[in-house]
Amino acid sequence: MATQILNFLTAQMDKLMLVGMLALIVLSALQLAKMSRTNRQLKYLTEKLAGYLKAVLEDEESEEDEADEENESQKETEFVSRQEQNMREAIELQKQQKKMKDAQVFDAVLSEIFP
């Protein structure tokens, strides 16, 4: 029985090699297609993440500019009423809360992209 199998394999070796090579070509083509799809998805996610980071950084820069202007105006006016001071503190608190919220959104986006 073993000799018959061995004889069959030796007689059909060229056909078996051809089938094996065709199977490898098909598997390689499937792998390339999967890699291409993954590459497109990564490009899309990278573009979206870059846009989000650009928007966040621009927002932070504008907040810093506003804070600098506010600091200059505070230096100009020495006398500040209690009501004005309370309003400024409330605005600062809102800005801090907004920064924390932005950080949470950023963390959520990153955890969604990179689980």
Side-chain angles (χ1 to χ4, degrees):
M1 175 82 175
T3 56
Q4 289 178 346
I5 293 174
L6 187 59
N7 287 337
F8 174 77
L9 289 177
T10 54
Q12 305 295 329
M13 184 61 72
D14 55 344
K15 293 175 186 167
L16 290 173
M17 290 291 281
L18 180 64
V19 169
M21 288 177 17
L22 288 175
L24 286 175
I25 290 171
V26 169
L27 291 174
S28 296
L30 291 174
Q31 185 65 27
L32 285 174
K34 185 182 279 189
M35 286 173 56
S36 174
R37 184 175 57 235
T38 303
N39 190 24
R40 282 193 310 264
Q41 290 174 347
L42 283 174
K43 259 187 212 176
Y44 173 77
L45 290 174
T46 303
E47 289 171 359
K48 291 295 182 184
L49 182 62
Y52 175 76
L53 289 174
K54 183 179 178 184
V56 168
L57 291 176
E58 286 176 357
D59 188 37
E60 285 180 3
E61 288 175 2
S62 67
E63 286 178 1
E64 288 174 0
D65 292 342
E66 290 172 5
D68 290 342
E69 291 173 3
E70 187 176 308
N71 287 340
E72 289 175 7
S73 67
Q74 283 180 356
K75 290 176 183 176
E76 291 174 2
T77 59
E78 293 180 15
F79 179 73
V80 178
S81 69
R82 185 170 288 179
Q83 185 178 8
E84 237 182 315
Q85 189 175 9
N86 289 341
M87 288 178 64
R88 286 183 181 160
E89 289 174 0
I91 290 171
E92 282 296 319
L93 180 62
Q94 287 176 351
K95 285 182 182 179
Q96 289 175 354
Q97 288 174 347
K98 186 177 185 299
K99 283 183 182 180
M100 290 182 68
K101 186 177 178 182
D102 287 344
Q104 289 173 347
V105 169
F106 180 69
D107 289 341
V109 168
L110 285 180
S111 66
E112 228 177 271
I113 294 173
F114 304 107

